[in-house]
Amino acid sequence: MTYDDILLDAEERMEKSVSLLSEQLKGVRTGRATTGLVDSIRVEYYGNSTPLKQLANLSTPEPQQILIRPFDQQILGDIIKAIQASELGLNPVSDNKVIRINVPSLSVEQRKKLVARVKDLAEEARVSIRSIRRDANKHADQSMTDKILTEDDCAKCKEEIQNLTKKYEGKVNELADKKSAEILED
């Protein structure tokens, strides 16, 4: 691989790790209602597992409530079952047209557990980024062995890879800190 290919590949993969973390954090509860809690819940719809956001209009009319308005009224029961089966601990209520979910306030103990979960997700992302760094460094070494890169270019490439690693670990830390602060505020 060339110098630019190694860096581009590493950066794309690190960006995907940060994006995945961002998506995972959307599903972690905070004290407020947000459609991000339920939009990725999978619902069985005509034999396919489909994300809820593709089956219904999601909104938060009040700070502690999520409103789900299905496009097809016949899947109300399936949506309720999927929400109850999720690990969110939410209790959906239906009036045969819409589903309302009241999001209760979190106790101090629940908040601490959620912050621990955020830290675990962030650590998984950091491990992924470090793994990408290791792979990129191997590619740089292999390119030097194959005489594609000079020794100086290899060293410079590894330095750039380390800079990318620091940059994306910083993004992970920023996302985790922001989410932890959201969870801990009342």
Side-chain angles (χ1 to χ4, degrees):
M1 293 178 85
T2 66
Y3 181 89
D4 290 337
D5 290 342
I6 293 169
L7 291 176
L8 186 63
D9 179 57
E11 188 167 16
E12 284 177 356
R13 290 175 59 201
M14 287 180 186
E15 185 65 46
K16 285 179 185 176
S17 291
V18 171
S19 296
L20 176 64
L21 174 65
S22 180
E23 285 300 311
Q24 289 173 325
L25 291 179
K26 284 182 185 176
V28 176
R29 272 185 65 186
T30 61
R32 284 186 230 99
T34 174
T35 58
L37 283 174
V38 295
D39 66 3
S40 60
I41 290 177
R42 315 265 321 157
V43 180
E44 282 297 317
Y45 184 63
Y46 290 110
N48 293 324
S49 181
T50 310
L52 180 57
K53 64 183 172 187
Q54 293 179 5
L55 300 173
N57 193 5
L58 307 173
S59 62
T60 52
E62 298 174 27
Q64 298 294 314
Q65 187 179 76
I66 300 172
L67 185 68
I68 302 169
R69 196 177 308 272
F71 302 130
D72 179 359
Q73 298 300 316
Q74 296 176 356
I75 61 167
L76 269 169
D78 294 331
I79 292 173
I80 290 172
K81 286 178 193 169
I83 293 168
Q84 289 172 336
S86 73
E87 297 176 5
L88 295 173
L90 299 174
N91 190 20
V93 178
S94 170
D95 65 2
N96 294 327
K97 291 184 182 174
V98 297
I99 299 169
R100 294 181 195 284
I101 302 174
N102 289 318
V103 180
S105 296
L106 296 169
S107 69
V108 173
E109 184 178 319
Q110 288 172 317
R111 289 176 194 271
K112 286 180 181 176
K113 284 182 182 176
L114 289 172
V115 167
R117 176 74 177 128
V118 167
K119 286 180 181 177
D120 290 343
L121 291 171
E123 184 56 30
E124 287 174 20
R126 282 190 289 271
V127 166
S128 172
I129 288 169
R130 290 180 197 129
S131 175
I132 294 164
R133 174 185 62 192
R134 185 186 65 242
D135 292 347
N137 283 337
K138 281 183 185 176
H139 286 301
D141 288 337
Q142 186 61 45
S143 292
M144 187 178 77
T145 304
D146 295 344
K147 305 274 191 238
I148 297 170
L149 294 178
T150 65
E151 201 172 310
D152 289 345
D153 284 344
C154 182
K156 187 177 176 190
C157 186
K158 286 183 176 184
E159 189 177 313
E160 290 284 332
I161 292 165
Q162 182 59 35
N163 290 341
L164 283 174
T165 303
K166 286 180 183 175
K167 174 184 169 185
Y168 284 99
E169 282 185 339
K171 287 184 178 186
V172 165
N173 293 338
E174 188 179 309
L175 285 171
D177 291 345
K178 183 179 175 191
K179 189 65 173 189
S180 294
E182 279 180 36
I183 291 169
L184 293 174
E185 75 183 27
D186 286 329

